[in-house]
Amino acid sequence: MTEKEKELLHLLEKEGRISTEKIAMMLDESEEKISELIASLEKQRVILGYSAVVDWSKVNTTESVTAMIDVKVTPKRGVGFDEVAERIYRFKEVRALYLMSGTYDLSVVIEGKTMSEIAHFVSDKLSALDSVLSTTTHFQLKKYKHDGIVFEDHDEDHRIVVSP
């Protein structure tokens, strides 16, 4: 991977909507070259997709519950954690899945409409898998920062100025 490709990836990761014209100026390359690099990185599956970070708490019509579930599993001979991870990430509720070091093996992020829906997912789907030994569920109460983006609006400071 070239340094230009790495720079391009950092720019796109920070701002997926940045124009090829602006990227070309920033990297001192032609727009055509930047378009080719992006297409190549997408074809190689280095760039997997583009997404917006949405503060769903500001959208009145949508309420959901997010949970992080720590999962202890028995790895299978020859495939390790990959087979059970694949079975888990195929569930529609799963938003993210990570192999972790420490007490638990996998960290699963799921989303549901209610806490009860998440409880049913854990008991009926996740815990029912042969390799799953135990789970610990943590419910997200408030989102402060995600993917480097702060969710709080701190435009005004309402404190009273105190001076000697």
Side-chain angles (χ1 to χ4, degrees):
M1 171 125 342
T2 68
E3 285 303 312
K4 285 279 188 205
E5 288 172 321
K6 288 179 187 175
E7 287 180 74
L8 172 63
L9 290 172
H10 284 294
L11 288 171
L12 288 173
E13 186 176 45
K14 185 174 172 120
E15 176 58 56
R17 293 184 59 171
I18 191 169
S19 69
T20 53
E21 178 185 8
K22 192 169 183 178
I23 295 170
M25 285 188 330
M26 294 170 81
L27 298 181
D28 195 29
E29 289 286 346
S30 68
E31 281 186 64
E32 184 179 326
K33 175 72 174 175
I34 295 301
S35 294
E36 289 171 6
L37 281 174
I38 292 171
S40 172
L41 291 167
E42 289 171 343
K43 186 176 180 180
Q44 295 172 53
R45 293 192 41 83
V46 173
I47 297 174
L48 298 174
Y50 302 87
S51 63
V53 177
V54 178
D55 186 351
W56 289 105
S57 69
K58 293 183 178 176
V59 180
N60 296 337
T61 59
T62 304
E63 281 293 324
S64 65
V65 178
T66 302
M68 287 82 163
I69 306 168
D70 298 326
V71 184
K72 183 78 175 158
V73 300
T74 302
K76 293 209 174 175
R77 185 170 300 214
V79 292
F81 296 99
D82 294 345
E83 186 177 289
V84 69
E86 183 177 350
R87 290 189 68 193
I88 294 170
Y89 71 61
R90 290 189 179 275
F91 291 120
K92 66 177 176 53
E93 297 90 345
V94 175
R95 296 289 166 250
L97 175 64
Y98 307 98
L99 178 63
M100 305 296 289
S101 64
T103 306
Y104 290 91
D105 303 307
L106 300 172
S107 180
V108 184
V109 179
I110 70 165
E111 200 170 278
K113 292 179 183 168
T114 63
M115 291 175 81
S116 178
E117 189 176 289
I118 289 174
H120 286 294
F121 170 82
V122 173
S123 63
D124 299 343
K125 295 180 179 179
L126 189 58
S127 295
L129 296 175
D130 291 337
S131 297
V132 173
L133 301 174
S134 66
T135 63
T136 302
T137 303
H138 310 274
F139 289 98
Q140 177 182 304
L141 302 177
K142 183 176 180 180
K143 189 181 290 189
Y144 292 101
K145 186 175 181 177
H146 181 79
D147 284 343
I149 297 171
V150 176
F151 279 67
E152 297 273 318
D153 292 327
H154 291 293
D155 295 339
E156 296 180 41
D157 187 354
H158 296 288
R159 295 177 294 178
I160 298 173
V161 177
V162 178
S163 59

